[in-house]
C-alpha cells in the first residue's frame, strides 16, 4: 500500500478531507494514491507538512521505483 494511503487510512482521514487540507482537488489525491501521478514539489512540501513528516518525497520516489521494477 502506498504510504499516503496508509497514513490516511490509519488516521481515518478521507482523501477528500486531505485534499481540502492541502489545497488540491480530490482527484489529485486519488491519482497520487493510485500511483497514476507524482505530486509536484510544492505539493510534496504540503504533504510533508500536513502529515508531520510521516509522508515525504522519499515515499513517492520509493513507490515509483517499486512500480518500475515490477513492470
Amino acid at each position: 500500500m502506498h504510504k499516503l494511503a496508509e497514513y490516511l487510512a490509519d488516521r481515518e482521514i478521507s482523501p477528500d478531507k486531505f485534499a481540502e487540507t492541502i489545497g488540491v482537488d480530490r482527484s489529485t489525491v486519488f491519482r497520487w494514491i493510485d500511483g497514476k501521478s507524482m505530486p509536484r514539489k510544492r505539493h510534496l512540501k504540503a504533504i510533508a507538512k500536513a502529515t508531520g513528516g510521516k509522508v515525504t518525497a522519499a515515499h513517492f520516489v520509493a513507490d515509483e521505483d517499486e512500480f518500475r521494477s515490477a513492470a
Side-chain angles (χ1 to χ4, degrees):
M1 177 183 281
H2 187 280
K3 184 68 176 178
L4 179 57
E6 184 179 301
Y7 175 88
L8 297 176
D10 287 350
R11 286 153 183 83
E12 298 181 354
I13 301 169
S14 72
D16 292 357
K17 181 64 177 170
F18 190 73
E20 183 181 315
T21 299
I22 64 169
V24 298
D25 189 80
R26 66 184 291 275
S27 63
T28 302
V29 174
F30 282 103
R31 284 194 304 272
W32 295 338
I33 289 171
D34 293 341
K36 294 181 179 178
S37 70
M38 292 280 293
R40 294 181 177 177
K41 186 176 180 179
R42 70 177 182 270
H43 297 133
L44 290 168
K45 289 179 180 181
I47 291 166
K49 183 177 179 181
T51 63
K54 301 288 186 196
V55 181
T56 66
H59 294 110
F60 288 94
V61 173
D63 287 344
E64 185 175 88
D65 290 345
E66 289 173 18
F67 176 75
R68 287 183 185 163
S69 66

